[in-house]
Amino acid sequence: MGETTEESGGGSAVDQVVAQIRELIDTDGLTVGDKLPTERELCERFEISRNTVREAMRMLKAYGIVDVRPKVGATIIDQRINRALDIFSFNVGEVSRRTFMDIQGFRELIETGSALAIFAATKAEDLAELRALNRKMVQARSIVEASEFDFQFHVKLISLTGNQSILDIYGIMKPVILRIMQHGKTRRIIEGETFQEHEAVLKAVEASDHLAYQYLMRTHLSQGLTSFPDPVDSKG
């Protein structure tokens, strides 16, 4: 049962706990610097397993809402993210085909359009860092954790442009990008297709092959579309 939840990218149980914790933050008037209840308290309050709480906390940490430290627990680090979560995460619920196409289409414009700037700035140490992130993605303990390294891979790539505004936008969009990265993913897909697609993109960067890079990145960003059902034919 637990394996099924993980393979589906966190599953409804984790999503529900994340929503409940957010509601708890609002209801209790918690703000930056305040601590959330302990794992045990959350388990008792929501009548859920400790594994589910930990996975929810991992997601909240990835979204930039809390900082989780051993013997300290979870501390709220940024209340401004609530507005972004309203727009890009919780109100999205289950990511739709249209949301996927809109977000990935935007990312395609940015990540393929930045090719020449990325080529000009990339050094050997940058490629080594990108490959290290790709390996960490494969070695991650869960789909949620793997999506965080997947996100870091793409952010590192576009950070080479030196454009802070793009990075700020990606920071705001992070919750929904993570949802998209998790949608329909299994460990087999991450270890196979996603890893290999990242590696192919890096080889194109090494070769400064503009056409190959654009094709590979475009293909990579559209890959997950197959996990969404085709639109219903209105003609029946």
Side-chain angles (χ1 to χ4, degrees):
M1 199 73 153
E3 287 299 315
T4 301
T5 300
E6 179 180 310
E7 290 300 319
S8 63
S12 59
V14 175
D15 289 342
Q16 184 177 358
V17 174
V18 171
Q20 287 174 320
I21 293 174
R22 186 203 174 207
E23 185 178 351
L24 180 155
I25 292 172
D26 291 339
T27 302
D28 292 3
L30 301 180
T31 186
V32 175
D34 290 338
K35 291 182 180 179
L36 289 177
T38 65
E39 283 186 2
R40 178 179 294 179
E41 289 169 339
L42 290 171
C43 289
E44 293 174 354
R45 183 164 182 164
F46 300 137
E47 298 182 346
I48 50 175
S49 70
R50 181 158 290 192
N51 283 341
T52 303
V53 169
R54 286 177 178 170
E55 200 65 22
M57 284 299 177
R58 192 189 303 279
M59 188 177 292
L60 289 168
K61 183 177 180 180
Y63 288 168
I65 301 172
V66 302
D67 182 30
V68 183
R69 297 183 182 179
K71 298 182 180 179
V72 175
T75 304
I76 300 173
I77 58 175
D78 193 349
Q79 62 186 353
R80 294 172 303 167
I81 200 68
N82 284 340
R83 290 193 296 275
L85 287 169
D86 280 337
I87 299 170
F88 291 118
S89 180
F90 292 107
N91 285 350
V92 169
E94 284 300 316
V95 175
S96 68
R97 184 184 181 93
R98 179 56 186 268
T99 300
F100 177 95
M101 294 176 69
D102 285 350
I103 297 298
Q104 297 302 80
F106 173 81
R107 291 181 61 202
E108 181 184 321
L109 289 173
I110 299 298
E111 296 186 43
T112 62
S114 301
L116 296 180
I118 290 171
F119 293 170
T122 302
K123 297 180 173 58
E125 53 265 35
D126 297 317
L127 289 167
E129 183 178 343
L130 285 158
R131 288 198 163 98
L133 288 169
N134 206 22
R135 288 192 298 272
K136 287 179 179 179
M137 180 189 70
V138 172
Q139 295 162 359
R141 294 168 294 179
S142 69
I143 303 300
V144 171
E145 186 179 4
S147 70
E148 175 66 23
F149 289 119
D150 191 354
F151 181 79
Q152 288 180 30
F153 176 92
H154 285 272
V155 167
K156 170 62 182 177
L157 199 58
I158 61 173
S159 73
L160 297 173
T161 65
N163 190 314
Q164 185 59 48
S165 293
I166 294 176
L167 293 176
D168 289 343
I169 291 170
Y170 268 60
I172 293 171
M173 293 173 62
K174 183 177 180 179
V176 74
I177 292 176
L178 288 175
R179 286 275 184 135
I180 285 171
M181 287 175 167
Q182 293 159 16
H183 190 277
K185 285 288 179 67
T186 64
R187 193 172 296 281
R188 184 170 60 254
I189 291 174
I190 289 170
E191 293 174 353
E193 288 98 317
T194 307
F195 177 86
Q196 293 299 334
E197 288 164 13
H198 282 181
E199 180 57 30
V201 165
L202 294 181
K203 287 181 179 178
V205 173
E206 281 182 305
S208 294
D209 188 332
H210 187 246
L211 291 178
Y213 173 87
Q214 287 193 316
Y215 170 77
L216 291 165
M217 183 60 79
R218 186 176 295 114
T219 301
H220 173 59
L221 293 176
S222 64
Q223 198 69 272
L225 188 61
T226 57
S227 67
F228 293 89
D230 290 331
V232 177
D233 189 338
S234 59
K235 295 181 180 179

